Structure formats: C-alpha cells, structure tokens
Amino acid sequence: MKSRYNPDTLQDVLTAKSGKLAKIQQKAGQLQVINQFLTTQLIPDCEEYCRVANLRQGILVIEVASGVWKTRLLQLSQSILSHMQEHILPSLHTIELIVNPQLFNEKPEEPKPNPRKISADTAQHLVALAEHAPPELAATLSRLAKLADRDK
C-alpha cells in the first residue's frame, strides 16, 4: 500500500491499465468509435449537427443541434438502433436525443480588425499636444501619434 505522502508519478497514472483514468480513456475511445460509426455509416455528413454524448446502461445519448435534427433522427431512431445493435453495440436498448443549440455554434468568431484609423493631420495635432502635456500623458499621446505611421 502506498503512503499518502508518496504520490504516484504522472507516468504511472497515464500508463496504468486500471483505475479511473484508464476507465475514462476506454469510455472516450468507445464513444469516439460509436460517433464515427454514426456519422460515417448511418447518417453521412451530419458531424456538424449531431454527436454521441454518452452511453450509459444501454442508452445511447446523442446531442443534436436543433429540433429539426432531433425530428429527423427520431424518424431514423429504430433503424439506427438496429444497425448499432447489429454492428457494434449488441447491448444497446434505446437512443435518447437531446437538443444542444451550442453544438452548431462551436466555431469561434474571428476578431474583426479595428476599422478606425488615425490620419496624418490628427497625428500632428497629438504630437503638438504632447509637447505641452505632463510626461505620462505626453508618452501616451506620442504612442497614439505613431499609430498613424503604422497604418500607412
């Protein structure tokens, strides 16, 4: 028995064949295989709109992006169930569909470039103002004036 003051090394935890991490890795691999089967064999070109979320006690939980996809998969659920039972999950009893609108919106938006520009005339005014300003403000105004040169 290990002492609580002698923890396992990270290498031991990652390569262990038993334990919680190994079970999580095994389940994640199983869900990945099921998801790949679903999106390539049963419903092609749906990977953006549905994914396997969980498998628990013979219930396959599938997340869909909208009510439309839920309706579509409800119509196909008996076919999906029988194909899954036949090919990869004989112990599967039912399929549960959950709407998750964030599934469709996972792509992060790219930041928009700042459309504001500093003209050369404005830069000259900032430099002139910096000459008569306190040192901290003068430094800030000078940095702003240099932005006009950068945009050229």
Coordinates of all heavy atoms in Angstrom, one line a residue, residues 57-125:
Q57 N -25.8 2.5 -19.3 CA -26.8 1.5 -19.0 C -27.6 1.1 -20.3 O -28.9 1.0 -20.2 CB -27.7 1.9 -17.9 CG -27.0 2.2 -16.6 CD -27.8 2.8 -15.6 OE1 -29.0 3.2 -15.8 NE2 -27.3 3.0 -14.4
G58 N -27.0 0.9 -21.4 CA -27.7 0.5 -22.6 C -28.4 1.6 -23.3 O -29.2 1.4 -24.2
I59 N -28.2 2.9 -22.9 CA -28.9 4.0 -23.5 C -27.8 4.9 -24.2 O -26.9 5.4 -23.6 CB -29.7 4.9 -22.5 CG1 -30.7 4.0 -21.7 CG2 -30.3 6.1 -23.1 CD1 -31.3 4.7 -20.5
L60 N -28.0 5.1 -25.5 CA -27.1 5.9 -26.2 C -27.6 7.3 -26.3 O -28.8 7.5 -26.8 CB -26.9 5.4 -27.7 CG -25.9 6.1 -28.6 CD1 -24.5 6.0 -28.0 CD2 -26.0 5.6 -30.0
V61 N -26.9 8.3 -25.8 CA -27.3 9.7 -25.8 C -26.7 10.4 -26.9 O -25.4 10.4 -27.0 CB -27.0 10.4 -24.4 CG1 -27.5 11.8 -24.4 CG2 -27.6 9.6 -23.3
I62 N -27.5 11.0 -27.8 CA -27.0 11.7 -29.0 C -27.4 13.2 -28.8 O -28.6 13.4 -28.6 CB -27.5 11.1 -30.3 CG1 -27.1 9.7 -30.4 CG2 -27.0 11.9 -31.5 CD1 -27.7 8.9 -31.6
E63 N -26.5 14.1 -29.0 CA -26.8 15.5 -28.9 C -27.0 16.0 -30.4 O -26.2 15.6 -31.3 CB -25.7 16.3 -28.4 CG -25.5 16.2 -26.9 CD -24.4 17.1 -26.3 OE1 -23.4 17.4 -27.1 OE2 -24.5 17.5 -25.2
V64 N -28.0 16.8 -30.6 CA -28.3 17.3 -31.9 C -28.4 18.9 -31.8 O -28.6 19.4 -30.7 CB -29.6 16.8 -32.5 CG1 -29.5 15.3 -32.8 CG2 -30.8 17.0 -31.6
A65 N -28.2 19.5 -32.9 CA -28.1 21.0 -32.9 C -29.4 21.7 -32.9 O -29.5 22.9 -32.5 CB -27.2 21.5 -34.1
S66 N -30.5 21.0 -33.3 CA -31.7 21.7 -33.4 C -32.9 20.7 -33.3 O -32.7 19.5 -33.4 CB -31.8 22.5 -34.7 OG -31.9 21.6 -35.8
G67 N -34.1 21.3 -33.2 CA -35.3 20.4 -33.2 C -35.5 19.7 -34.5 O -36.0 18.6 -34.5
V68 N -35.1 20.3 -35.5 CA -35.2 19.7 -36.9 C -34.4 18.4 -36.9 O -34.9 17.4 -37.4 CB -34.8 20.7 -38.0 CG1 -34.8 20.1 -39.3 CG2 -35.6 21.9 -38.0
W69 N -33.1 18.5 -36.5 CA -32.3 17.3 -36.5 C -32.8 16.3 -35.5 O -32.7 15.1 -35.7 CB -30.9 17.7 -36.1 CG -30.1 18.1 -37.3 CD1 -29.9 19.4 -37.8 CD2 -29.5 17.3 -38.3 NE1 -29.2 19.4 -38.9 CE2 -29.0 18.1 -39.3 CE3 -29.4 15.9 -38.5 CZ2 -28.3 17.6 -40.4 CZ3 -28.7 15.4 -39.6 CH2 -28.2 16.2 -40.5
K70 N -33.4 16.7 -34.4 CA -34.0 15.7 -33.4 C -35.1 15.0 -34.1 O -35.2 13.8 -34.0 CB -34.5 16.5 -32.2 CG -35.0 15.5 -31.1 CD -35.4 16.2 -29.9 CE -35.9 15.2 -28.8 NZ -36.2 15.8 -27.6
T71 N -36.0 15.7 -34.8 CA -37.1 15.1 -35.5 C -36.6 14.1 -36.6 O -37.1 13.0 -36.7 CB -38.0 16.2 -36.2 OG1 -38.4 17.1 -35.2 CG2 -39.2 15.5 -36.9
R72 N -35.6 14.5 -37.3 CA -35.0 13.7 -38.3 C -34.5 12.4 -37.7 O -34.8 11.3 -38.2 CB -33.9 14.4 -39.1 CG -33.3 13.6 -40.2 CD -32.3 14.3 -41.0 NE -31.7 13.5 -42.0 CZ -30.6 13.8 -42.7 NH1 -30.1 14.9 -42.5 NH2 -30.1 12.9 -43.5
L73 N -33.7 12.5 -36.6 CA -33.2 11.3 -36.0 C -34.2 10.5 -35.3 O -34.1 9.2 -35.2 CB -32.0 11.7 -35.1 CG -30.8 12.2 -35.7 CD1 -29.7 12.5 -34.7 CD2 -30.3 11.3 -36.8
L74 N -35.3 11.1 -34.8 CA -36.4 10.3 -34.2 C -37.0 9.4 -35.3 O -37.4 8.3 -35.0 CB -37.4 11.2 -33.6 CG -37.2 11.7 -32.2 CD1 -38.2 12.8 -31.8 CD2 -37.2 10.6 -31.2
Q75 N -37.1 9.9 -36.5 CA -37.7 9.1 -37.5 C -36.8 8.0 -37.9 O -37.2 6.9 -38.3 CB -38.0 10.0 -38.8 CG -39.1 11.0 -38.6 CD -39.2 12.0 -39.7 OE1 -38.3 12.0 -40.6 NE2 -40.3 12.7 -39.7
L76 N -35.5 8.2 -37.8 CA -34.5 7.1 -38.1 C -34.0 6.3 -36.9 O -33.2 5.4 -37.0 CB -33.2 7.8 -38.7 CG -33.4 8.6 -40.0 CD1 -32.2 9.3 -40.4 CD2 -33.9 7.6 -41.1
S77 N -34.6 6.6 -35.7 CA -34.0 6.0 -34.5 C -34.1 4.5 -34.5 O -33.2 3.8 -34.0 CB -34.7 6.6 -33.3 OG -36.1 6.3 -33.2
Q78 N -35.2 3.9 -35.0 CA -35.3 2.4 -35.0 C -34.2 1.8 -35.9 O -33.6 0.8 -35.6 CB -36.7 2.0 -35.4 CG -37.7 2.2 -34.3 CD -37.4 1.5 -33.0 OE1 -36.9 0.4 -33.0 NE2 -37.5 2.2 -31.9
S79 N -34.0 2.5 -37.0 CA -33.0 2.0 -38.0 C -31.6 2.1 -37.4 O -30.8 1.2 -37.5 CB -33.1 2.8 -39.3 OG -32.1 2.4 -40.1
I80 N -31.3 3.3 -36.7 CA -30.1 3.5 -36.1 C -29.8 2.5 -35.0 O -28.8 1.9 -34.9 CB -30.0 4.9 -35.6 CG1 -30.0 5.9 -36.7 CG2 -28.7 5.1 -34.7 CD1 -30.1 7.4 -36.2
L81 N -30.9 2.2 -34.2 CA -30.8 1.3 -33.1 C -30.5 -0.1 -33.6 O -29.6 -0.8 -33.1 CB -32.1 1.3 -32.3 CG -32.2 0.4 -31.1 CD1 -31.2 0.8 -30.0 CD2 -33.6 0.4 -30.5
S82 N -31.2 -0.6 -34.6 CA -30.9 -1.9 -35.1 C -29.5 -2.1 -35.7 O -28.8 -3.1 -35.5 CB -32.0 -2.3 -36.1 OG -32.0 -1.5 -37.2
H83 N -29.1 -1.0 -36.5 CA -27.7 -1.1 -37.1 C -26.6 -1.1 -36.0 O -25.6 -1.8 -36.1 CB -27.5 0.1 -38.0 CG -28.1 -0.1 -39.3 ND1 -27.6 -0.9 -40.3 CD2 -29.2 0.4 -39.9 CE1 -28.3 -0.9 -41.4 NE2 -29.4 -0.1 -41.2
M84 N -26.8 -0.3 -34.9 CA -25.9 -0.2 -33.8 C -25.8 -1.6 -33.1 O -24.8 -2.1 -32.8 CB -26.2 0.9 -32.8 CG -26.0 2.3 -33.3 SD -24.3 2.7 -33.2 CE -24.4 4.5 -33.5
Q85 N -27.0 -2.2 -32.9 CA -27.0 -3.5 -32.2 C -26.4 -4.5 -33.0 O -25.7 -5.4 -32.5 CB -28.5 -3.8 -31.9 CG -29.1 -3.0 -30.8 CD -30.6 -3.3 -30.6 OE1 -31.3 -3.7 -31.6 NE2 -31.1 -3.1 -29.4
E86 N -26.6 -4.5 -34.3 CA -26.1 -5.5 -35.2 C -24.5 -5.4 -35.4 O -23.8 -6.4 -35.4 CB -26.7 -5.3 -36.6 CG -26.4 -6.4 -37.6 CD -27.1 -6.1 -38.9 OE1 -28.3 -5.7 -38.9 OE2 -26.5 -6.3 -40.0
H87 N -24.0 -4.1 -35.5 CA -22.6 -4.0 -35.8 C -21.7 -3.7 -34.6 O -20.6 -4.3 -34.6 CB -22.4 -2.8 -36.8 CG -23.1 -3.2 -38.1 ND1 -22.5 -4.0 -39.0 CD2 -24.2 -2.7 -38.7 CE1 -23.3 -4.1 -40.1 NE2 -24.3 -3.3 -39.9
I88 N -22.0 -2.8 -33.7 CA -21.0 -2.5 -32.6 C -21.5 -2.6 -31.2 O -20.7 -2.7 -30.3 CB -20.4 -1.1 -32.9 CG1 -21.4 0.0 -33.0 CG2 -19.5 -1.1 -34.1 CD1 -20.8 1.4 -33.1
L89 N -22.8 -2.4 -31.0 CA -23.3 -2.4 -29.6 C -24.5 -3.3 -29.4 O -25.7 -2.9 -29.4 CB -23.8 -1.0 -29.2 CG -22.7 0.1 -29.0 CD1 -23.4 1.4 -28.8 CD2 -22.0 -0.3 -27.7
P90 N -24.3 -4.6 -29.2 CA -25.4 -5.5 -29.1 C -26.2 -5.3 -27.8 O -27.4 -5.6 -27.7 CB -24.7 -6.9 -29.0 CG -23.3 -6.7 -29.0 CD -23.0 -5.3 -29.2
S91 N -25.6 -4.6 -26.8 CA -26.3 -4.4 -25.5 C -27.1 -3.1 -25.5 O -27.7 -2.7 -24.5 CB -25.3 -4.4 -24.4 OG -24.4 -3.3 -24.6
L92 N -27.2 -2.4 -26.6 CA -27.9 -1.1 -26.7 C -29.4 -1.4 -26.7 O -30.0 -2.2 -27.4 CB -27.5 -0.4 -28.0 CG -28.1 1.0 -28.2 CD1 -27.5 1.9 -27.1 CD2 -27.7 1.5 -29.6
H93 N -30.1 -0.6 -25.8 CA -31.6 -0.8 -25.7 C -32.4 0.4 -26.3 O -33.3 0.1 -27.0 CB -32.0 -0.8 -24.2 CG -31.4 -2.0 -23.5 ND1 -31.3 -3.2 -24.0 CD2 -30.8 -2.0 -22.2 CE1 -30.7 -4.0 -23.1 NE2 -30.4 -3.3 -22.0
T94 N -31.9 1.6 -26.1 CA -32.7 2.8 -26.6 C -31.7 3.9 -27.0 O -30.5 3.9 -26.6 CB -33.6 3.4 -25.5 OG1 -32.9 3.6 -24.3 CG2 -34.8 2.5 -25.3
I95 N -32.2 4.8 -27.7 CA -31.5 6.0 -28.1 C -32.2 7.2 -27.5 O -33.4 7.3 -27.7 CB -31.4 6.1 -29.6 CG1 -30.5 5.0 -30.2 CG2 -30.8 7.5 -30.0 CD1 -30.4 4.9 -31.7
E96 N -31.5 8.1 -26.9 CA -32.0 9.3 -26.3 C -31.5 10.5 -27.1 O -30.2 10.6 -27.3 CB -31.7 9.4 -24.8 CG -32.2 10.6 -24.2 CD -31.8 10.7 -22.7 OE1 -31.6 9.6 -22.1 OE2 -31.7 11.8 -22.1
L97 N -32.3 11.4 -27.5 CA -31.9 12.5 -28.3 C -32.0 13.8 -27.5 O -33.1 14.0 -26.9 CB -32.7 12.7 -29.6 CG -32.6 11.5 -30.5 CD1 -33.6 11.5 -31.6 CD2 -31.2 11.4 -31.1
I98 N -31.0 14.6 -27.4 CA -31.0 15.9 -26.7 C -30.6 17.0 -27.6 O -29.7 16.9 -28.3 CB -30.0 15.8 -25.5 CG1 -30.4 14.7 -24.5 CG2 -29.9 17.1 -24.8 CD1 -29.4 14.4 -23.4
V99 N -31.4 18.1 -27.5 CA -31.1 19.3 -28.3 C -30.1 20.1 -27.6 O -30.3 20.5 -26.4 CB -32.4 20.1 -28.6 CG1 -32.0 21.4 -29.4 CG2 -33.4 19.3 -29.4
N100 N -29.0 20.4 -28.3 CA -27.9 21.3 -27.7 C -27.6 22.3 -28.8 O -26.8 22.1 -29.7 CB -26.7 20.5 -27.4 CG -25.6 21.3 -26.8 OD1 -25.7 22.5 -26.6 ND2 -24.5 20.7 -26.5
P101 N -28.2 23.5 -28.7 CA -28.0 24.5 -29.8 C -26.6 25.0 -29.9 O -26.1 25.4 -30.9 CB -28.9 25.7 -29.3 CG -29.8 25.2 -28.2 CD -29.2 24.0 -27.7
Q102 N -25.8 24.8 -28.8 CA -24.4 25.3 -28.8 C -23.5 24.4 -29.7 O -22.4 24.7 -30.1 CB -23.8 25.3 -27.4 CG -24.4 26.4 -26.6 CD -23.9 26.4 -25.2 OE1 -23.2 25.4 -24.8 NE2 -24.2 27.4 -24.4
L103 N -24.0 23.2 -30.0 CA -23.3 22.3 -30.9 C -23.1 22.9 -32.3 O -22.1 22.7 -32.9 CB -24.1 21.0 -31.0 CG -23.5 19.8 -31.8 CD1 -22.3 19.3 -31.1 CD2 -24.5 18.7 -31.9
F104 N -24.1 23.6 -32.7 CA -24.0 24.3 -34.0 C -23.1 25.5 -34.0 O -22.5 25.9 -35.0 CB -25.4 24.6 -34.5 CG -25.4 25.2 -35.9 CD1 -25.1 24.4 -37.0 CD2 -25.7 26.5 -36.2 CE1 -25.1 24.9 -38.3 CE2 -25.7 27.0 -37.5 CZ -25.4 26.2 -38.5
N105 N -23.0 26.2 -32.9 CA -22.3 27.4 -32.7 C -20.9 27.3 -32.1 O -20.4 28.2 -31.5 CB -23.1 28.4 -31.9 CG -24.4 28.8 -32.5 OD1 -24.5 28.8 -33.7 ND2 -25.4 29.0 -31.7
E106 N -20.2 26.1 -32.3 CA -18.9 25.9 -31.6 C -17.8 26.7 -32.3 O -16.7 26.8 -31.7 CB -18.6 24.5 -31.6 CG -19.3 23.8 -30.4 CD -18.8 22.3 -30.3 OE1 -17.9 21.9 -31.0 OE2 -19.3 21.7 -29.4
K107 N -18.0 27.1 -33.6 CA -16.9 27.7 -34.3 C -16.7 29.1 -33.7 O -17.6 30.0 -33.8 CB -17.2 27.8 -35.8 CG -17.3 26.4 -36.4 CD -17.9 26.5 -37.8 CE -18.2 25.0 -38.2 NZ -19.2 25.0 -39.2
P108 N -15.5 29.4 -33.2 CA -15.2 30.7 -32.7 C -15.2 31.8 -33.8 O -14.7 31.5 -34.9 CB -13.9 30.6 -32.0 CG -13.2 29.4 -32.6 CD -14.3 28.5 -33.1
E109 N -15.7 32.9 -33.5 CA -15.7 34.0 -34.5 C -14.3 34.6 -34.5 O -13.7 34.8 -33.5 CB -16.7 35.1 -34.1 CG -18.2 34.6 -34.2 CD -19.1 35.7 -33.8 OE1 -18.7 36.9 -33.8 OE2 -20.3 35.4 -33.6
E110 N -13.9 35.0 -35.7 CA -12.6 35.7 -35.8 C -12.8 37.1 -35.4 O -13.8 37.7 -35.8 CB -12.1 35.6 -37.2 CG -11.7 34.1 -37.7 CD -11.2 34.1 -39.0 OE1 -10.7 35.1 -39.5 OE2 -11.2 33.0 -39.6
P111 N -11.8 37.7 -34.7 CA -11.9 39.1 -34.3 C -11.9 40.0 -35.5 O -11.1 39.7 -36.5 CB -10.7 39.3 -33.4 CG -9.8 38.2 -33.7 CD -10.6 37.1 -34.2
K112 N -12.7 41.0 -35.5 CA -12.7 41.9 -36.6 C -11.6 42.9 -36.5 O -11.3 43.4 -35.4 CB -14.1 42.6 -36.6 CG -15.3 41.7 -36.9 CD -16.6 42.4 -36.9 CE -17.7 41.5 -37.0 NZ -19.0 42.2 -36.9
P113 N -11.0 43.3 -37.6 CA -9.9 44.3 -37.5 C -10.6 45.7 -37.1 O -11.7 46.0 -37.4 CB -9.3 44.4 -38.9 CG -10.3 43.8 -39.7 CD -11.2 42.8 -38.9
N114 N -9.8 46.4 -36.4 CA -10.3 47.8 -36.0 C -10.3 48.7 -37.2 O -9.3 49.0 -37.8 CB -9.3 48.3 -34.9 CG -9.9 49.6 -34.2 OD1 -10.9 50.1 -34.7 ND2 -9.2 50.0 -33.2
P115 N -11.5 49.2 -37.6 CA -11.6 50.0 -38.8 C -11.1 51.4 -38.5 O -11.0 52.2 -39.5 CB -13.1 49.9 -39.1 CG -13.7 49.7 -37.8 CD -12.8 48.9 -37.0
R116 N -10.9 51.8 -37.3 CA -10.6 53.2 -37.0 C -9.1 53.5 -37.4 O -8.2 52.7 -37.1 CB -10.8 53.5 -35.6 CG -12.3 53.4 -35.2 CD -12.5 53.8 -33.8 NE -12.0 52.6 -33.0 CZ -12.1 52.6 -31.7 NH1 -12.6 53.6 -31.0 NH2 -11.6 51.6 -31.0
K117 N -8.9 54.6 -38.0 CA -7.5 55.0 -38.5 C -7.2 56.4 -37.9 O -8.1 57.2 -37.7 CB -7.4 55.0 -40.0 CG -7.9 53.8 -40.7 CD -6.8 52.8 -40.8 CE -7.2 51.6 -41.6 NZ -6.6 50.4 -41.3
I118 N -5.9 56.6 -37.7 CA -5.5 57.9 -37.3 C -4.9 58.6 -38.5 O -3.9 58.1 -39.1 CB -4.5 57.8 -36.1 CG1 -5.2 57.2 -34.9 CG2 -3.9 59.2 -35.8 CD1 -4.3 57.0 -33.8
S119 N -5.4 59.7 -38.9 CA -4.9 60.5 -40.1 C -3.6 61.1 -39.7 O -3.2 61.3 -38.5 CB -5.9 61.5 -40.6 OG -6.0 62.5 -39.6
A120 N -2.8 61.5 -40.7 CA -1.5 62.3 -40.5 C -1.8 63.6 -39.8 O -1.0 64.0 -39.0 CB -0.8 62.5 -41.8
D121 N -2.9 64.3 -40.2 CA -3.2 65.5 -39.5 C -3.5 65.4 -38.1 O -3.0 66.1 -37.2 CB -4.5 66.1 -40.3 CG -4.8 67.6 -39.8 OD1 -3.8 68.3 -39.6 OD2 -5.9 67.9 -39.7
T122 N -4.2 64.3 -37.7 CA -4.5 64.0 -36.3 C -3.3 63.7 -35.6 O -3.1 64.1 -34.4 CB -5.5 62.9 -36.2 OG1 -6.7 63.2 -36.9 CG2 -5.9 62.6 -34.7
A123 N -2.3 63.0 -36.2 CA -1.1 62.6 -35.6 C -0.3 63.9 -35.3 O 0.4 64.0 -34.2 CB -0.3 61.7 -36.5
Q124 N -0.3 64.8 -36.2 CA 0.4 66.1 -35.9 C -0.2 66.8 -34.7 O 0.5 67.4 -33.9 CB 0.4 67.0 -37.2 CG 1.2 66.5 -38.3 CD 1.1 67.3 -39.5 OE1 0.2 68.2 -39.6 NE2 1.9 67.1 -40.5
H125 N -1.5 66.9 -34.6 CA -2.2 67.5 -33.5 C -1.8 66.8 -32.2 O -1.6 67.5 -31.2 CB -3.7 67.5 -33.7 CG -4.2 68.5 -34.8 ND1 -3.9 69.8 -34.7 CD2 -4.8 68.2 -35.9 CE1 -4.5 70.4 -35.8 NE2 -5.0 69.4 -36.5

